[in-house]
Amino acid sequence: SQTIHQWPATLVQPVGSPLSLECTVEGTSNPNLYWYRQAAGRGLQLLFYSVGIGQISSEVPQNLSASRPQDRQFILSSKKLLLSDSGFYLCAWSYLGGTGYTFGSGTRLTVV
Amino acid sequence: SQQGEEDPQALSIQEGENATMNCSYKTSINNLQWYRQNSGRGLVHLILIRSNEREKHSGRLRVTLDTSKKSSSLLITASRAADTASYFCATDEGNNNDMRFGAGTRLTVKP
Protein backbone atom coordinates (compact mmCIF):
# COMPACT_ATOMS: atom_id res chain seq x y z
CA SER A 1 0.00 0.00 0.00
CA GLN A 2 1.05 3.56 -0.58
CA THR A 3 2.21 5.72 2.30
CA ILE A 4 3.41 9.27 2.55
CA HIS A 5 5.81 10.52 5.19
CA GLN A 6 6.35 14.12 6.10
CA TRP A 7 8.66 15.46 8.76
CA PRO A 8 9.21 17.09 11.12
CA ALA A 9 5.75 17.45 12.65
CA THR A 10 6.58 20.77 14.29
CA LEU A 11 9.39 23.23 13.78
CA VAL A 12 10.30 26.54 15.37
CA GLN A 13 12.86 28.52 13.45
CA PRO A 14 14.28 32.04 13.84
CA VAL A 15 13.82 34.65 11.16
CA GLY A 16 16.59 34.45 8.59
CA SER A 17 17.38 30.80 9.19
CA PRO A 18 17.21 28.17 6.42
CA LEU A 19 14.45 25.62 6.03
CA SER A 20 14.26 22.11 4.70
CA LEU A 21 11.09 20.04 4.87
CA GLU A 22 11.09 16.59 3.39
CA CYS A 23 8.31 14.43 2.02
CA THR A 24 8.65 10.88 0.77
CA VAL A 25 6.16 8.52 -0.78
CA GLU A 26 6.34 4.73 -0.66
CA GLY A 27 4.55 2.06 -2.60
CA THR A 28 4.09 3.98 -5.82
CA SER A 29 6.12 5.28 -8.73
CA ASN A 30 6.06 8.49 -10.73
CA PRO A 31 3.45 10.22 -8.56
CA ASN A 32 2.48 13.84 -8.86
CA LEU A 33 3.76 15.61 -5.74
CA TYR A 34 2.51 18.80 -4.12
CA TRP A 35 3.36 21.27 -1.39
CA TYR A 36 0.53 23.28 0.13
CA ARG A 37 0.52 25.86 2.90
CA GLN A 38 -2.40 26.49 5.20
CA ALA A 39 -2.66 29.62 7.31
CA ALA A 40 -4.52 29.28 10.61
CA GLY A 41 -8.22 28.64 10.02
CA ARG A 42 -7.85 29.04 6.29
CA GLY A 43 -7.85 26.98 3.13
CA LEU A 44 -4.89 25.49 1.35
CA GLN A 45 -2.61 27.49 -0.90
CA LEU A 46 -0.78 25.53 -3.56
CA LEU A 47 2.94 26.34 -3.45
CA PHE A 48 4.60 23.86 -5.78
CA TYR A 49 3.78 20.77 -7.73
CA SER A 50 5.90 18.27 -9.60
CA VAL A 51 4.99 15.74 -12.28
CA GLY A 52 8.45 14.16 -12.42
CA ILE A 53 12.05 14.23 -11.24
CA GLY A 54 13.51 17.70 -11.59
CA GLN A 55 10.19 19.15 -12.81
CA ILE A 56 8.85 21.84 -10.48
CA SER A 57 5.99 24.23 -11.09
CA SER A 58 5.71 27.22 -8.79
CA GLU A 59 2.38 28.83 -8.09
CA VAL A 60 3.25 31.72 -5.80
CA PRO A 61 6.31 34.01 -5.93
CA GLN A 62 8.03 33.79 -2.56
CA ASN A 63 11.27 32.98 -0.85
CA LEU A 64 10.51 29.26 -0.88
CA SER A 65 11.76 26.72 -3.37
CA ALA A 66 11.11 23.06 -4.04
CA SER A 67 13.16 20.23 -5.44
CA ARG A 68 12.51 16.66 -6.48
CA PRO A 69 15.87 14.88 -6.47
CA GLN A 70 14.28 11.43 -6.58
CA ASP A 71 11.03 10.07 -7.94
CA ARG A 72 9.39 9.77 -4.54
CA GLN A 73 11.09 12.60 -2.67
CA PHE A 74 9.90 16.20 -2.55
CA ILE A 75 11.74 18.86 -0.59
CA LEU A 76 10.61 22.35 0.39
CA SER A 77 13.38 24.80 1.17
CA SER A 78 14.16 28.35 2.04
CA LYS A 79 17.49 30.12 2.37
CA LYS A 80 16.14 32.74 4.78
CA LEU A 81 12.81 32.39 6.55
CA LEU A 82 10.43 35.30 7.03
CA LEU A 83 7.82 35.70 9.76
CA SER A 84 5.16 35.36 7.07
CA ASP A 85 6.41 31.85 6.27
CA SER A 86 4.78 30.55 9.44
CA GLY A 87 1.98 28.10 8.74
CA PHE A 88 0.98 24.50 8.33
CA TYR A 89 2.75 22.85 5.41
CA LEU A 90 1.22 19.82 3.76
CA CYS A 91 2.71 17.46 1.24
CA ALA A 92 0.46 15.37 -0.99
CA TRP A 93 0.67 12.92 -3.85
CA SER A 94 -1.68 11.80 -6.57
CA TYR A 95 -1.78 10.19 -9.96
CA LEU A 96 -2.66 12.23 -13.02
CA GLY A 97 -6.38 11.76 -13.48
CA GLY A 98 -6.48 9.72 -10.30
CA THR A 99 -9.06 9.41 -7.60
CA GLY A 100 -7.81 12.01 -5.17
CA TYR A 101 -4.92 13.31 -3.18
CA THR A 102 -3.26 11.59 -0.26
CA PHE A 103 -1.88 14.04 2.24
CA GLY A 104 0.92 13.76 4.72
CA SER A 105 0.32 14.63 8.35
CA GLY A 106 1.73 18.12 7.96
CA THR A 107 4.49 20.27 9.46
CA ARG A 108 3.58 23.20 11.67
CA LEU A 109 6.26 25.84 11.12
CA THR A 110 6.56 28.80 13.45
CA VAL A 111 9.05 31.47 12.50
CA VAL A 112 10.05 33.61 15.48
CA SER B 1 -5.22 30.96 -6.13
CA GLN B 2 -8.37 29.48 -4.63
CA GLN B 3 -10.95 27.96 -6.89
CA GLY B 4 -13.70 26.62 -4.66
CA GLU B 5 -15.52 28.58 -2.03
CA GLU B 6 -17.37 26.76 0.71
CA ASP B 7 -20.51 27.98 2.36
CA PRO B 8 -21.15 28.36 5.22
CA GLN B 9 -17.80 29.13 6.81
CA ALA B 10 -18.96 27.51 10.04
CA LEU B 11 -21.84 25.22 10.92
CA SER B 12 -22.93 23.97 14.33
CA ILE B 13 -25.55 21.23 14.68
CA GLN B 14 -26.76 18.63 17.15
CA GLU B 15 -25.82 14.98 16.88
CA GLY B 16 -28.29 13.15 14.67
CA GLU B 17 -29.07 16.13 12.48
CA ASN B 18 -28.00 16.40 8.86
CA ALA B 19 -25.23 18.78 7.79
CA THR B 20 -25.15 20.39 4.36
CA MET B 21 -22.13 22.24 3.03
CA ASN B 22 -21.94 23.97 -0.32
CA CYS B 23 -19.10 24.71 -2.69
CA SER B 24 -19.00 27.06 -5.65
CA TYR B 25 -16.25 27.27 -8.25
CA LYS B 26 -15.41 29.43 -11.21
CA THR B 27 -13.90 27.49 -14.11
CA SER B 28 -14.66 24.27 -15.96
CA ILE B 29 -13.57 21.15 -14.12
CA ASN B 30 -12.89 17.48 -14.75
CA ASN B 31 -13.73 16.50 -11.20
CA LEU B 32 -14.53 17.92 -7.78
CA GLN B 33 -13.38 16.39 -4.53
CA TRP B 34 -14.32 16.75 -0.89
CA TYR B 35 -11.83 16.41 1.92
CA ARG B 36 -12.01 16.37 5.68
CA GLN B 37 -9.43 17.79 8.08
CA ASN B 38 -9.33 17.23 11.80
CA SER B 39 -7.70 20.06 13.69
CA GLY B 40 -3.94 20.18 13.14
CA ARG B 41 -3.91 17.13 10.88
CA GLY B 42 -3.57 16.39 7.21
CA LEU B 43 -6.53 16.24 4.87
CA VAL B 44 -8.34 13.00 4.19
CA HIS B 45 -10.00 12.37 0.86
CA LEU B 46 -13.72 11.67 1.21
CA ILE B 47 -15.23 11.48 -2.22
CA LEU B 48 -14.61 12.43 -5.85
CA ILE B 49 -17.34 13.30 -8.32
CA ARG B 50 -16.59 13.65 -12.01
CA SER B 51 -18.00 16.40 -14.18
CA ASN B 52 -20.35 13.97 -15.95
CA GLU B 53 -21.83 12.75 -12.66
CA ARG B 54 -24.64 14.47 -10.79
CA GLU B 55 -24.74 12.59 -7.51
CA LYS B 56 -22.57 10.21 -5.56
CA HIS B 57 -22.97 8.39 -2.26
CA SER B 58 -20.50 6.97 0.20
CA GLY B 59 -21.91 5.71 3.49
CA ARG B 60 -23.51 8.70 5.22
CA LEU B 61 -22.09 11.10 2.64
CA ARG B 62 -23.99 12.36 -0.35
CA VAL B 63 -22.38 14.68 -2.88
CA THR B 64 -24.16 16.47 -5.69
CA LEU B 65 -22.69 18.40 -8.59
CA ASP B 66 -24.39 20.98 -10.78
CA THR B 67 -21.96 22.00 -13.51
CA SER B 68 -24.41 24.52 -14.95
CA LYS B 69 -24.34 26.42 -11.66
CA LYS B 70 -20.72 25.51 -10.93
CA SER B 71 -21.67 24.27 -7.51
CA SER B 72 -21.54 21.17 -5.36
CA SER B 73 -22.97 20.16 -2.03
CA LEU B 74 -21.87 17.70 0.62
CA LEU B 75 -24.56 16.22 2.85
CA ILE B 76 -23.67 14.29 5.97
CA THR B 77 -26.67 12.43 7.30
CA ALA B 78 -27.27 11.42 10.92
CA SER B 79 -24.23 13.38 12.08
CA ARG B 80 -22.03 12.23 14.95
CA ALA B 81 -19.75 14.13 17.28
CA ALA B 82 -16.84 12.44 15.50
CA ASP B 83 -17.83 14.25 12.29
CA THR B 84 -16.58 17.48 13.85
CA ALA B 85 -13.89 18.73 11.46
CA SER B 86 -13.27 21.16 8.62
CA TYR B 87 -14.51 20.13 5.20
CA PHE B 88 -12.94 21.36 1.98
CA CYS B 89 -13.91 21.12 -1.64
CA ALA B 90 -11.23 21.03 -4.30
CA THR B 91 -11.38 21.35 -8.07
CA ASP B 92 -8.87 20.70 -10.79
CA GLU B 93 -9.56 23.67 -13.08
CA GLY B 94 -9.63 21.23 -15.96
CA ASN B 95 -5.94 20.35 -16.07
CA ASN B 96 -5.79 17.41 -13.66
CA ASN B 97 -2.33 18.42 -12.51
CA ASP B 98 -3.24 20.29 -9.40
CA MET B 99 -6.23 20.84 -7.18
CA ARG B 100 -7.40 24.18 -5.83
CA PHE B 101 -8.97 24.20 -2.41
CA GLY B 102 -11.55 26.46 -0.85
CA ALA B 103 -11.30 27.96 2.63
CA GLY B 104 -13.43 25.19 4.11
CA THR B 105 -16.48 24.81 6.30
CA ARG B 106 -15.86 24.21 9.96
CA LEU B 107 -18.47 21.74 11.19
CA THR B 108 -19.17 21.27 14.88
CA VAL B 109 -21.47 18.43 15.91
CA LYS B 110 -22.62 18.74 19.52
CA PRO B 111 -23.26 15.52 21.43
Side-chain angles (χ1 to χ4, degrees):
Chain A
S1 63
Q2 301 93 351
T3 57
I4 180 168
H5 302 280
Q6 188 181 343
W7 68 92
T10 60
L11 191 59
V12 179
Q13 292 284 99
V15 169
S17 64
L19 173 74
S20 181
L21 301 181
E22 188 164 344
C23 173
T24 60
V25 180
E26 295 178 359
T28 184
S29 60
N30 198 31
N32 290 348
L33 296 172
Y34 309 86
W35 278 110
Y36 285 88
R37 178 170 60 198
Q38 185 179 31
R42 303 290 297 278
L44 277 69
Q45 178 187 35
L46 178 65
L47 301 177
F48 302 95
Y49 71 90
S50 171
V51 298
I53 296 175
Q55 300 179 60
I56 308 294
S57 296
S58 174
E59 290 296 311
V60 182
Q62 59 214 331
N63 69 323
L64 298 173
S65 62
S67 62
R68 185 170 178 174
Q70 301 180 43
D71 181 44
R72 289 168 288 179
Q73 184 185 29
F74 205 23
I75 298 172
L76 182 69
S77 304
S78 173
K79 293 182 179 178
K80 289 186 177 182
L81 285 169
L82 306 172
L83 287 174
S84 58
D85 291 324
S86 293
F88 191 50
Y89 288 82
L90 289 157
C91 178
W93 77 270
S94 77
Y95 281 126
L96 180 65
T99 57
Y101 283 22
T102 301
F103 281 84
S105 53
T107 295
R108 183 158 305 282
L109 171 66
T110 304
V111 182
V112 296
Chain B
S1 60
Q2 283 183 201
Q3 160 77 313
E5 293 185 7
E6 290 89 347
D7 167 55
Q9 292 185 347
L11 180 61
S12 182
I13 59 174
Q14 292 295 132
E15 208 165 28
E17 294 180 340
N18 295 340
T20 299
M21 289 159 272
N22 303 296
C23 170
S24 60
Y25 58 92
K26 298 175 182 175
T27 65
S28 297
I29 61 171
N30 291 316
N31 67 73
L32 182 145
Q33 302 174 28
W34 284 91
Y35 290 80
R36 167 198 167 118
Q37 182 183 34
N38 287 353
S39 181
R41 307 292 295 274
L43 278 73
V44 175
H45 180 257
L46 295 177
I47 199 165
L48 178 152
I49 186 166
R50 300 196 185 279
S51 60
N52 61 351
E53 298 175 311
R54 291 297 168 259
E55 188 170 312
K56 210 162 183 180
H57 298 254
S58 176
R60 293 185 294 113
L61 305 181
R62 173 178 169 253
V63 169
T64 62
L65 178 64
D66 187 336
T67 52
S68 66
K69 295 181 179 178
K70 291 186 170 58
S71 67
S72 173
S73 67
L74 170 66
L75 168 67
I76 304 175
T77 60
S79 64
R80 306 166 181 167
D83 293 329
T84 294
S86 292
Y87 292 83
F88 296 87
C89 70
T91 56
D92 64 353
E93 294 190 341
N95 66 18
N96 273 330
N97 267 343
D98 61 83
M99 301 294 291
R100 305 299 170 121
F101 288 78
T105 292
R106 181 161 186 79
L107 173 66
T108 302
V109 181
K110 301 175 184 176

